[in-house]
Amino acid sequence: MYVLGIETSCDETSAAVVKDGKEILSNIVASSLEFHKKYGGVVPEIAFRKQLETISQVTDSAIKAAGIPLKKISLISVTNEPGLLGSLLVGISFARGLSLSRDLPLLEADHLYSHIYAGMFGLKKLPLPFVALVVSGGHTSLFYLRDFHRITPLAATQDDACGEAFDKTAKILGLGYPGGPLIERLAKNGDPKSIKFNCSGTKHPLNFSFSGIKTAVLYYVNGIKKRQSGKLYKRQTEDICATFQETVIDTLIQKSFLACKMRRSKRLVVGGGVAANNRLREKFNSAAKEKGISVYFASPRLCMDNAAMVAGLGYQLSRRDTPR
Ligand code: KG4
Ligand code: ZN
């Protein structure tokens, strides 16, 4: 079964064709990132105007690249929430139009669950049930999945999302946007034990809070700049990046494995843009080995917003029988 996926929840316009929820035949991602960079974050009006301009062409390219005619598509799966309202509307309206004109069934898919599905590509069998951590620019959430129809939310962030904390910290350090990859690169040369940063505690042990650590970085940087006539040296930036990144990852690990323990789950799936971070993957893998838990990641390319994960989830949701 061929599913056409459409994803427009943030700054990307993406369309993909996936066969049987497993084989990615095409996955075109057009980003308007370069138009947002000078503003230090995504500007919703720019995002949806660019998506309006590109959605038709991107979908066309995805179908052409898949090498199958449109009439072979059996289902359209489109992201319906959460995301930027105007951006979501572009994708949903386009998908509804295509569905009506071609008489194709349409399924609306949750963006966070799509990020979880991204970790399923390449697996022979879905590793159900499992605990899932989604770490993106807008969300940091833990779920328990019996299957993709039965998902229980376990925890979420109380303030900033994890990716948002990376982006805001990068902004404080004057690094640019998006902050995650820039911090990861500089952290490689820094000492992760050089400074003492903490993530704030939360009332519910599984919930997350990242605004405190971002503010701690701000005060720390302001203190240095005051002492050094407004200067922040590269070595200091690297140490801040390394300590910030390490502290955030340790918190994600502690909460995710606690969720596994509470749910008696031996399987953990990690998805979302921040899951592309190599240090995060390395640390999750070694913690999982120590605890006898299997951890699954989407490939780094599929951690970012893309339509293949939306098509994959759509296929899975369209199957009412027992999961694979
Ligand atoms: O999932 P995603 O592509 O979009 C949302 O649904 O939000 O995630 C984007 C987020 C951004 O905040 C970005 O800084 C972060 O993922 N990110 C990273 C890395 N690559 C992207 N964070 C840490 N390390 C990375 N290598
Ligand atoms: Zn996302």
Side-chain angles (χ1 to χ4, degrees), residues 54-100:
T54 50
I55 182 93
S56 178
Q57 200 194 327
V58 165
T59 308
D60 238 32
S61 308
I63 293 166
K64 279 203 183 92
I68 56 153
L70 184 56
K71 63 174 187 291
K72 279 212 164 181
I73 304 270
S74 309
L75 175 72
I76 303 173
S77 177
V78 63
T79 304
N80 68 340
E81 64 170 357
L84 302 173
L85 198 59
S87 294
L88 287 167
L89 272 174
V90 174
I92 295 169
S93 315
F94 183 82
R96 283 187 186 163
L98 194 60
S99 154
L100 280 172

Side-chain angles (χ1 to χ4, degrees), residues 23-299:
E23 199 186 332
I24 301 174
L25 301 183
S26 64
N27 191 17
I28 308 285
V29 183
S31 171
S32 55
L33 188 63
E34 59 175 304
F35 300 97
H36 304 282
K37 271 189 174 158
K38 67 173 169 184
Y39 302 102
V42 174
V43 182
E45 285 75 12
I46 296 178
F48 87 75
R49 278 173 203 279
K50 291 290 163 198
Q51 284 159 331
L52 266 178
E53 282 169 23
T54 50
I55 182 93
S56 178
Q57 200 194 327
V58 165
T59 308
D60 238 32
S61 308
I63 293 166
K64 279 203 183 92
I68 56 153
L70 184 56
K71 63 174 187 291
K72 279 212 164 181
I73 304 270
S74 309
L75 175 72
I76 303 173
S77 177
V78 63
T79 304
N80 68 340
E81 64 170 357
L84 302 173
L85 198 59
S87 294
L88 287 167
L89 272 174
V90 174
I92 295 169
S93 315
F94 183 82
R96 283 187 186 163
L98 194 60
S99 154
L100 280 172
S101 64
R102 298 284 174 156
D103 199 20
L104 276 170
L106 174 70
L107 199 145
E108 299 189 353
D110 183 286
H111 183 64
L112 301 187
Y113 303 163
S114 296
H115 271 305
I116 300 172
Y117 194 88
M120 305 294 108
F121 288 107
L123 301 179
K124 280 204 175 82
K125 201 170 169 283
L126 302 186
L128 293 160
F130 57 73
V131 167
L133 169 71
V134 179
V135 262
S136 71
H139 296 84
T140 308
S141 305
L142 280 162
F143 299 97
Y144 181 70
L145 280 84
R146 284 179 185 79
D147 55 53
F148 279 90
H149 297 283
R150 292 176 296 169
I151 302 180
T152 311
L154 300 178
T157 181
Q158 294 182 164
D159 38 58
D160 289 352
C162 187
E164 187 181 359
F166 269 92
D167 296 336
K168 287 179 175 170
T169 298
K171 199 169 184 176
I172 292 167
L173 295 169
L175 301 178
Y177 178 85
L182 299 166
I183 288 185
E184 179 177 8
R185 189 152 49 82
L186 287 163
K188 279 191 188 126
N189 300 320
D191 175 1
K193 291 198 172 71
S194 53
I195 314 159
K196 184 127 190 62
F197 290 140
N198 285 314
C199 287
S200 318
T202 52
K203 208 167 168 192
H204 188 291
L206 291 182
N207 279 345
F208 300 92
S209 169
F210 294 110
S211 73
I213 187 167
K214 165 207 69 190
T215 311
V217 172
L218 176 67
Y219 286 147
Y220 187 82
V221 169
N222 285 347
I224 295 182
K225 284 188 171 168
K226 214 169 170 183
R227 288 195 300 278
Q228 298 176 174
S229 334
K231 283 203 183 79
L232 181 67
Y233 296 108
K234 190 163 178 227
R235 178 77 222 172
Q236 292 170 320
T237 304
E238 288 168 346
D239 283 344
I240 294 169
C241 287
T243 319
F244 166 83
Q245 177 176 271
E246 207 75 359
T247 311
V248 167
I249 294 172
D250 286 345
T251 302
L252 295 173
I253 288 179
Q254 187 256 322
K255 309 243 177 193
S256 304
F257 287 99
L258 177 60
C260 288
K261 190 172 169 196
M262 287 165 87
R263 284 285 159 163
R264 295 181 212 283
S265 173
K266 288 278 175 200
R267 289 176 291 261
L268 173 67
V269 175
V270 187
V274 184
N277 185 294
N278 288 304
R279 181 72 182 144
L280 179 148
R281 297 165 88 95
E282 196 180 286
K283 290 200 84 177
F284 263 84
N285 277 326
S286 64
K289 209 168 166 192
E290 204 177 281
K291 292 181 196 308
I293 287 178
S294 304
V295 62
Y296 304 87
F297 291 101
S299 68

Side-chain angles (χ1 to χ4, degrees), residues 7-29:
E7 153 66 37
T8 60
S9 67
C10 192
D11 60 315
E12 284 88 2
T13 310
S14 179
V17 178
V18 172
K19 188 181 174 195
D20 298 336
K22 284 184 174 170
E23 199 186 332
I24 301 174
L25 301 183
S26 64
N27 191 17
I28 308 285
V29 183

